[in-house]
Amino acid sequence: MILHGTRPKIPVTMTGNSNDDPTDDLLDQAIAYAKNHLSVLAKDNQQDDSDHSTVRLPPPLSLSIPPRHLTSLSSIRQGDIMEIRESPKGRGFYAKRDLNVGERLVVAKPVCLVMGFEVDEWDEDDDEDDSEGSECSHDDNLDEGESDASDADGPSDESDTHNNHKKNNSQNATKRNNHQTDDASDSSDPLSQATGSTRNGLILLHTLESVIAKPSLWTDTLSQLFPRTIDEALSLPPWICANATLGMKIESTFQQLASSCSEFFESSTIREVQTRLPLIVRYNVLSVETSSELFVYPDVDKGGLVCLEGTGLFGPEVSFFNHSCVPNVSRYCIGDVIFFITNRPVSKGDELCFSYIEHEYLCESSERRTALLDMDFVDGGLNRSEDKTEKARQPQRKRQRTTTKHEEEEDDDDDDTPMPLIDIEMQNELMATPPIHRLEMITDLLNPQQPLHPDHDDYQSDKYNLRILNAITLEQLGRSIEALEEWKKCVEFCIVNFPPIDETTVALHVRVALCAYSCNEKKAAMDHATKVLKMHDLLFGGGVKRMRRRYEKEFLMKMRLKGGNEEEMRRVVDALWPCDKS
């Protein structure tokens, strides 16, 4: 893995080291939002039972960033970094010049954002009515799937757990919200096919309300997103909302659009909005998570920022990034601000792509990557293990698709493709088990008598996640030398299978550095600490000061404190990442 020098200067937006860089201010706002979220929840919990008829929700997440830092489609077209090109795969972003690793390509805010706690409230309110079902929208509305950011459950207070939240569907995959089910089957009962998620339904509802309030939002922004024509939209499966109450509200809002926007839109345009908008939401939403690679992330009480989790609908400045299983672009969020950066050197003319699934799954077969994507295309590209030279990158574009009877039978067979076993629920279940017993369970899972998935080879990512849990458990039991070996294996997995710079790899290098230091392997600790700083600076900028700030709560986690001695941990951090280090 080669990291090329210091963070380069970026002409279109700003560098991570620039005095004009808004990153630190955004971090301040994100932390303040999390504290306010805790305050709101605490006040709500203090209410008497009789006062719970109205639940207090935290305010919407909307961080302030000067407009000059945000990327627009026009600034992309006028700049020298990338351009939109047509190709047999469809439209995409292509490099206009050679790009260094760590260049910021896009900084954007969503057109619409829905927070996880808002989705939870809707799902709880509609539990009793789910069985009734409701068509969500117009007959021409389109299918969308469950959000890839939907799992936000954290560990118990007793355990530090590996966070397996969606990060990039790259990331932190990615990051698209793309767990689509087959709504295109010929069913006599459309309600039985209601699989549209509450999360994307809320984004559709709020976006409709915004279009009614400001019709130019459709003409100036939303109309540029995929699918870009009615014909494209009609070729795709219909969308039916699984949340009955929300479905009826969306239907009512579509009717309001037709009546209130008639002076702005012709009837054909209203029909186009009704037909395209549900699928525009389906294909242009991304999970929004702040510092989700940190192990403290799920624990809000200890400084984790899972309460900032949401899903956003993004505009055309983001929509032309296609998927690749060998991505040269990564993304991360601070609050509702999303950053896209190059994660490797990019040659002029190369397509700029990120992964729509998490990086830990990029090592799996094409069949499994396609199943995890659950989109309308096959991820047929060669991953790093299949193409060591990485010359055969095959970014896959969203496609219109019709199926024959034979293909439908093959699709039915695809439904048998197993999903990863060690998901966030399994991880939390394991971490809720006492450490001694947990260690035995993990050992059995790492060395099974037969494959964990009958008739299928096990996911490589399952062993990776098990090793992380194993390392955590060994450290909890005071077996640091054994834990260090497990942490090293996790880092090796990332180096082989992840992009050259990756925030999860940074987090694991931190674990190796701290564990090695505790094992008195000072040289190894310093080597990993140096890698942490170089990679973190390429991703986030700001040098050692910003790295230590982002990892402050991580350093102070309970499992890292020996008898609650914070000062000792601070001395270790000062030794590994001294503040005067450039």
Side-chain angles (χ1 to χ4, degrees), residues 438-470:
R438 183 198 316 153
L439 191 61
E440 295 173 354
M441 295 171 65
I442 293 172
T443 300
D444 289 341
L445 289 168
L446 281 170
N447 303 282
Q449 297 294 325
Q450 56 187 3
L452 302 178
H453 295 284
D455 304 322
H456 292 274
D457 292 334
D458 292 334
Y459 272 79
Q460 297 180 59
S461 56
D462 277 345
K463 282 199 170 184
Y464 158 74
N465 283 310
L466 283 169
R467 290 198 183 281
I468 289 176
L469 299 181
N470 203 35

Side-chain angles (χ1 to χ4, degrees), residues 492-503:
E492 289 170 5
F493 178 90
C494 294
I495 291 172
V496 171
N497 296 298
F498 289 14
I501 62 167
D502 179 270
E503 63 265 39

Side-chain angles (χ1 to χ4, degrees), residues 222-365:
L222 297 172
S223 64
Q224 301 181 56
L225 302 178
F226 178 88
R228 296 181 179 88
T229 67
I230 285 184
D231 288 341
E232 282 183 327
L234 290 176
S235 71
L236 295 161
W239 188 90
I240 302 173
C241 188
N243 185 306
T245 304
L246 179 58
M248 289 186 288
K249 188 166 181 61
I250 292 174
E251 174 66 25
S252 174
T253 308
F254 267 118
Q255 294 172 1
Q256 183 183 350
L257 171 77
S259 61
S260 62
C261 293
S262 57
E263 61 179 287
F264 301 101
F265 296 146
E266 297 181 356
S267 58
S268 60
T269 303
I270 291 175
R271 169 70 172 176
E272 183 180 354
V273 176
Q274 293 172 328
T275 304
R276 290 178 56 201
L277 187 56
L279 195 58
I280 285 173
V281 170
R282 167 69 180 90
Y283 280 105
N284 295 278
V285 290
L286 292 170
S287 61
V288 173
E289 297 164 331
T290 302
S291 301
S292 59
E293 78 279 10
L294 302 184
F295 287 76
V296 75
Y297 173 73
D299 197 334
V300 180
D301 290 332
K302 292 182 174 62
L305 298 176
V306 70
C307 61
L308 279 71
E309 177 268 331
T311 304
L313 170 62
F314 289 86
E317 69 278 1
V318 169
S319 68
F320 292 102
F321 283 114
N322 290 322
H323 168 75
S324 173
C325 61
V326 188
N328 50 22
V329 174
S330 292
R331 69 181 182 92
Y332 65 86
C333 297
I334 304 176
D336 62 334
V337 180
I338 192 168
F339 297 78
F340 290 82
I341 67 165
T342 54
N343 58 39
R344 68 183 77 230
V346 179
S347 298
K348 179 180 179 179
D350 282 356
E351 185 171 10
L352 294 158
C353 302
F354 70 96
S355 173
Y356 291 6
I357 58 176
E358 295 176 71
H359 290 168
E360 66 193 64
Y361 301 128
L362 294 177
C363 61
E364 308 295 350
S365 66

Side-chain angles (χ1 to χ4, degrees), residues 394-509:
Q394 300 287 334
Q396 303 298 306
R397 184 60 178 164
K398 301 178 286 285
R399 302 175 187 273
Q400 301 179 34
R401 186 168 183 263
T402 57
T403 58
T404 65
K405 179 68 173 176
H406 175 68
E407 288 173 328
E408 288 174 358
E409 292 173 355
E410 288 182 343
D411 287 342
D412 290 339
D413 293 338
D414 290 342
D415 292 340
D416 296 332
T417 303
M419 291 293 104
L421 177 65
I422 312 302
D423 57 13
I424 187 66
E425 292 182 4
M426 174 65 83
Q427 291 176 41
N428 286 336
E429 183 177 337
L430 286 168
M431 293 306 295
T433 306
I436 297 282
H437 183 43
R438 183 198 316 153
L439 191 61
E440 295 173 354
M441 295 171 65
I442 293 172
T443 300
D444 289 341
L445 289 168
L446 281 170
N447 303 282
Q449 297 294 325
Q450 56 187 3
L452 302 178
H453 295 284
D455 304 322
H456 292 274
D457 292 334
D458 292 334
Y459 272 79
Q460 297 180 59
S461 56
D462 277 345
K463 282 199 170 184
Y464 158 74
N465 283 310
L466 283 169
R467 290 198 183 281
I468 289 176
L469 299 181
N470 203 35
I472 291 170
T473 305
L474 288 166
E475 285 202 278
Q476 288 179 327
L477 294 171
R479 296 163 61 174
S480 298
I481 294 177
E482 295 171 79
L484 179 58
E485 293 307 308
E486 289 292 84
W487 286 126
K488 288 180 179 178
K489 290 177 183 177
C490 295
V491 169
E492 289 170 5
F493 178 90
C494 294
I495 291 172
V496 171
N497 296 298
F498 289 14
I501 62 167
D502 179 270
E503 63 265 39
T504 299
T505 309
V506 174
L508 290 171
H509 274 301

